Amino acid sequence: MNAPDSAAIASADLANLARRTLPLLDLTSLNEQDTPVCIRSLCERAATRFGKVAAVCVYPEHVHGARVHLAAIGSPEIRVATVVNFPDGSADPERIKRETWRAVSAGAEEIDLVIPWRSLLAGDSVAVSAAVDAARTACISLPLKVILETGELKDPALIRHAGQLAIDAGADFLKTSTGKVPINATPDAARVLCELIREQARPVGLKIAGGVRRTEDAGAYLAIIEHTLGAAFIHPARCRFGSSALLDDLQNVLSGQRQQARGGY
């Protein structure tokens, strides 16, 4: 199942849910065809009349342009995140280190790293630790979100193992997915990661990414997170959603164009 069932939250106040979700959003554009014009449009969308998103997430070559444009429109507090080792998840720590250094030099404020999940499927845990350590070393104190590609790992025990390896190597956030594979975020994977995060001795965040397109989707994940980690966890410093489509639905809800949940996916 790719998306949560909306039935459990069909009677919820969608406007309140949308207001709660919008500041948690990493508004994302990770397309090979992205141009500076596309990135400027993304930045302008990020500062809505209902509030601002947490971050924009773009490819490294667009980091500088995004920061310049956000400052120009009076929204420098919106963070600029980028991806490394994306989307393939290679097992080359030197590549990861170089990409991360370049991203930091370009002005990235947050790093989203894909682990070598194929290596982990083959039984190589060391490759995951080495990849996260390489990025952690290169990005120093910047927030490091580690993409586990949970839909490809599939097995809850393996997802948990990947998350623990990432945390032990310095991850600040665990992130479900790249959004580039057939199965991305799922409620089951979110539950596994929430339970793992709850057990940690230090704060670790969670980013749900891939397939979160509607306010109801976000609400179902927030219910899982709040049930396991508490309401205080639901804050941009700890909780994010990565999406390119969710913002449109949030704004439709907040503008009154959508007032109740629609059935089906």
Side-chain angles (χ1 to χ4, degrees), residues 4 6 29 33 53 62 100 107 137 148 154 160 169 171 179 183 188 193 205 207 211 223 229 232 235 246 254 264:
S6 65
S29 189
Q33 301 82 13
V53 305
H62 297 298
T100 307
T137 299
L148 305 178
K154 297 182 176 68
R160 179 183 174 88
I183 299 175
D188 288 343
L193 297 180
K207 180 173 174 179
L229 297 168
H235 183 278
L246 179 58
L254 291 169

Coordinates of all heavy atoms in Angstrom, one line a residue, residues 4 6 29 33 53 62 100 107 137 148 154 160 169 171 179 183 188 193 205 207 211 223 229 232 235 246 254 264:
P4 N -1.8 6.0 2.9 CA -2.6 5.7 4.0 C -4.1 5.8 3.5 O -4.4 6.5 2.6 CB -2.4 6.7 5.0 CG -1.2 7.5 4.5 CD -1.0 7.3 3.1
S6 N -7.7 7.1 3.7 CA -8.2 8.4 4.1 C -9.4 8.2 5.1 O -9.8 9.2 5.7 CB -8.6 9.2 2.9 OG -9.7 8.6 2.2
S29 N 11.7 19.8 -6.1 CA 11.8 19.7 -7.5 C 13.1 19.1 -7.8 O 14.2 19.7 -7.7 CB 11.7 21.1 -8.2 OG 11.5 20.9 -9.6
Q33 N 15.1 18.0 -16.0 CA 14.8 19.1 -16.9 C 14.7 20.4 -16.1 O 14.4 21.5 -16.7 CB 13.6 18.8 -17.7 CG 13.6 17.6 -18.5 CD 13.3 16.3 -17.7 OE1 12.8 16.3 -16.6 NE2 13.6 15.1 -18.3
V53 N 6.8 27.3 3.7 CA 7.3 25.9 3.9 C 8.6 25.9 4.6 O 9.2 27.0 4.8 CB 7.4 25.2 2.5 CG1 6.1 25.2 1.7 CG2 8.6 25.7 1.7
H62 N 21.3 23.9 -8.5 CA 20.3 25.0 -8.3 C 20.3 25.6 -6.9 O 19.5 26.5 -6.6 CB 18.9 24.4 -8.6 CG 18.8 24.0 -10.1 ND1 18.9 24.9 -11.1 CD2 18.5 22.8 -10.6 CE1 18.7 24.2 -12.3 NE2 18.5 22.9 -12.0
T100 N 29.0 16.1 -1.4 CA 28.5 16.8 -0.3 C 29.4 18.1 -0.1 O 28.8 19.1 0.2 CB 28.6 15.9 1.0 OG1 27.9 14.7 0.8 CG2 28.0 16.6 2.2
G107 N 26.2 26.4 -1.0 CA 25.3 27.1 0.0 C 24.2 26.3 0.5 O 23.2 26.8 1.1
T137 N 30.9 13.7 7.6 CA 32.2 14.4 7.7 C 32.2 15.6 6.8 O 32.7 16.7 7.2 CB 33.3 13.4 7.2 OG1 33.3 12.3 8.1 CG2 34.7 14.1 7.2
L148 N 16.5 6.1 3.2 CA 16.7 4.6 3.3 C 16.2 3.8 2.2 O 16.5 2.7 2.0 CB 16.0 4.2 4.6 CG 16.5 4.9 5.9 CD1 15.7 4.4 7.1 CD2 18.0 4.7 6.1
K154 N 11.9 -3.1 1.9 CA 10.7 -3.9 2.2 C 10.6 -4.5 3.6 O 9.6 -4.3 4.3 CB 10.5 -5.1 1.1 CG 10.4 -4.6 -0.3 CD 10.2 -5.7 -1.3 CE 9.9 -5.3 -2.7 NZ 11.1 -4.6 -3.3
R160 N 14.6 -1.2 9.8 CA 15.0 -0.9 11.1 C 16.5 -0.9 11.2 O 17.2 0.0 11.7 CB 14.4 -1.8 12.1 CG 14.8 -1.5 13.6 CD 14.2 -2.5 14.5 NE 14.8 -2.3 15.9 CZ 14.2 -1.5 16.7 NH1 13.1 -0.8 16.4 NH2 14.8 -1.3 17.9
A169 N 25.8 6.4 12.5 CA 26.9 7.1 11.7 C 26.6 8.6 11.6 O 27.4 9.3 11.0 CB 26.9 6.6 10.3
A171 N 23.3 10.4 11.3 CA 22.1 11.0 10.7 C 21.3 11.8 11.7 O 21.1 11.5 12.8 CB 21.2 9.9 10.2
G179 N 11.4 8.9 -3.9 CA 10.3 9.2 -4.7 C 10.5 8.8 -6.2 O 9.7 9.1 -7.1
I183 N 7.7 1.8 -5.1 CA 7.1 1.9 -3.8 C 7.9 2.9 -2.9 O 9.1 2.7 -2.8 CB 7.0 0.5 -3.0 CG1 6.1 -0.4 -3.9 CG2 6.4 0.7 -1.6 CD1 6.1 -1.8 -3.3
D188 N 3.4 1.5 7.1 CA 4.2 0.5 7.8 C 5.6 0.9 8.0 O 6.2 0.7 9.1 CB 4.1 -0.9 7.1 CG 2.7 -1.5 7.1 OD1 1.9 -1.1 8.0 OD2 2.5 -2.4 6.3
L193 N 10.1 3.3 11.6 CA 11.0 4.3 11.8 C 10.6 5.1 13.1 O 11.5 5.5 13.8 CB 11.1 5.2 10.6 CG 11.6 4.5 9.4 CD1 11.7 5.5 8.2 CD2 13.0 3.9 9.6
G205 N 15.1 13.1 13.6 CA 13.9 13.5 13.0 C 13.5 12.5 12.0 O 14.1 11.5 11.7
K207 N 11.5 12.2 8.0 CA 11.0 12.9 6.8 C 10.3 11.8 6.0 O 10.9 10.8 5.6 CB 12.1 13.5 6.0 CG 11.6 14.2 4.7 CD 12.7 15.0 4.0 CE 12.3 15.5 2.7 NZ 13.4 16.3 2.0
G211 N 5.0 10.0 -2.7 CA 3.6 9.6 -2.7 C 2.7 10.3 -1.8 O 1.5 10.0 -1.7
A223 N -0.8 11.2 12.3 CA -1.4 10.4 13.4 C -0.5 9.3 13.8 O -0.4 9.1 15.1 CB -2.7 9.8 12.8
L229 N 5.5 9.2 18.9 CA 6.5 10.1 19.3 C 6.0 11.3 20.1 O 6.8 12.1 20.6 CB 7.3 10.5 18.1 CG 8.1 9.4 17.5 CD1 8.7 9.9 16.1 CD2 9.2 8.9 18.4
A232 N 4.7 17.0 20.4 CA 5.8 17.9 20.4 C 6.8 17.6 19.2 O 7.5 18.4 18.8 CB 6.5 17.9 21.7
H235 N 7.1 19.2 14.5 CA 7.7 20.5 14.4 C 8.8 20.4 13.2 O 9.4 19.4 13.1 CB 8.4 20.9 15.7 CG 9.0 22.3 15.7 ND1 10.2 22.5 15.2 CD2 8.5 23.4 16.2 CE1 10.5 23.8 15.4 NE2 9.5 24.4 16.0
L246 N 2.0 18.1 -2.8 CA 1.2 18.3 -1.6 C 0.9 19.7 -1.4 O -0.3 20.0 -0.9 CB 2.0 17.8 -0.4 CG 1.3 17.9 1.0 CD1 0.0 17.2 1.0 CD2 2.2 17.4 2.1
L254 N -7.0 25.2 2.3 CA -7.0 26.4 3.0 C -7.7 27.6 2.3 O -8.2 28.5 3.0 CB -5.5 26.9 3.3 CG -4.8 26.0 4.3 CD1 -3.3 26.3 4.2 CD2 -5.3 26.1 5.7
G264 N -11.3 7.4 -2.2 CA -10.5 6.7 -3.2 C -9.2 7.3 -3.5 O -8.9 8.5 -3.2

